[in-house]
Amino acid sequence: MTGFVNINKAAGVSSAREVAVIRRLTGMPCGHMGTLDPMAEGVLPVGIGNACRLFDYFLTKRKTYIAAFRFGADYDTLDTTGSVTAEGGRVPRAEEIEEILPSLTGEVMQVPPRYSAKSIDGKRGYQLARAGEQFELPPKKVNIYSVSLEGARSPSEYLFRIECGGGTYIRSLCRDMAEKLSTFAAMSALTRVASGPFRIDSAVPTAMLDGDNIAAHVIPTDSVLPFAAAHVGGEEQSKLLNGMSVSVHLDDGTYKIYLENGTFYGLGAAENGRLKVKTKLC
């Protein structure tokens, strides 16, 4: 069994716990394609078997979130699961928020939360933060494609729809927004509604899965890869399977390689009329 399961992660559980459920049901090595914090919910693609080799490809894909930001207080974790570090901030008007949203989009340098899995001298940021150690995380370049105000969730909370690239921290976006508005804020809820080709309307909670129905929820690997097909057979197939490149009439780029019996073999890279296997999946 290989492919993906589009999990609708529940709030309050770790991404690792959701992966463990799929591993137990399939009996295969599994991994998630982009973690969600325990407080967050929504789309968590889980790769099964050799599909995990596509981790880097899916990690960089666009993601869409619905996030709630609560204004008026600051938290050490940048979300409301942490400890309050400052209070008394004002709640901005919707018009004020709308005015600064364009300044938060584009290719930006973002400082990750201290409570994160970022590594500092071999230790995770959250480990150092919990130990009370002082440290700084360097900013990293991320892409934030759009941030739109969706309305109020409560007198002190607003809902936002955010489309961004891989590696973006929504908690950091919340902090940066509050700074531009001269106040405090923390993320109070987060739902990932899309991650690359995976959408929440087709995601399934792990609580609904068992040994009898898991196979029906496995998505074939090639069906979520947006590449053209390259079919090989005969001598060319033998060469490819032995690590050699073969002559092809294809434009430069990435292709899904299919063998002469119809088997999806993996991804290949075409360059200057030659095709070579890039990622073997079977």
Side-chain angles (χ1 to χ4, degrees), residues 32-143:
H32 60 70
M33 307 292 171
T35 189
L36 281 173
D37 290 338
M39 75 172 294
E41 59 187 6
V43 173
L44 182 72
V46 175
I48 303 169
N50 287 345
C52 294
R53 296 178 182 178
L54 296 170
F55 178 83
D56 290 340
Y57 169 77
F58 284 103
L59 193 64
T60 61
K61 291 303 172 185
R62 289 195 183 205
K63 299 172 174 62
T64 305
Y65 298 89
I66 300 296
F69 295 168
R70 182 181 299 168
F71 290 87
D74 198 8
Y75 291 74
D76 56 359
T77 58
L78 304 186
D79 63 38
T80 54
T81 66
S83 299
V84 175
T85 58
E87 296 182 279
R90 68 186 184 88
V91 177
R93 292 178 289 108
E95 294 80 7
E96 294 178 82
I97 296 174
E98 293 275 16
E99 187 175 343
I100 61 98
L101 290 185
S103 67
L104 294 167
T105 62
E107 190 175 78
V108 301
M109 297 300 294
Q110 185 185 74
V111 178
R114 288 165 54 83
Y115 282 84
S116 68
K118 287 294 180 184
S119 181
I120 300 291
D121 296 329
K123 291 187 177 181
R124 301 295 189 183
Y126 62 81
Q127 294 174 322
L128 298 174
R130 289 170 182 166
E133 297 189 29
Q134 297 300 313
F135 64 98
E136 297 293 331
L137 288 169
K140 57 173 293 188
K141 187 181 295 183
V142 299
N143 287 296

Side-chain angles (χ1 to χ4, degrees), residues 5-24:
V5 179
N6 183 17
I7 294 301
N8 189 345
K9 187 185 97 62
V13 301
S14 70
S15 297
R17 181 265 183 194
E18 302 285 68
V19 171
V21 172
I22 305 304
R23 184 184 303 117
R24 174 175 56 82

Side-chain angles (χ1 to χ4, degrees), residues 50 52-58 60-61 225-228 230 232 239-246 252-259 264-271 274-282:
N50 287 345
C52 294
R53 296 178 182 178
L54 296 170
F55 178 83
D56 290 340
Y57 169 77
F58 284 103
T60 61
K61 291 303 172 185
L225 293 170
F227 303 121
V232 295
K239 289 180 179 178
L240 274 179
L241 300 188
N242 283 286
M244 302 170 63
S245 66
V246 297
D252 288 358
T254 301
Y255 290 84
K256 294 184 287 189
I257 297 176
Y258 291 87
L259 305 181
F264 172 53
Y265 184 74
L267 297 180
E271 185 176 4
R274 305 291 298 181
L275 177 69
K276 189 171 184 178
V277 174
K278 184 178 179 182
T279 305
K280 178 180 177 292
L281 296 174
C282 75

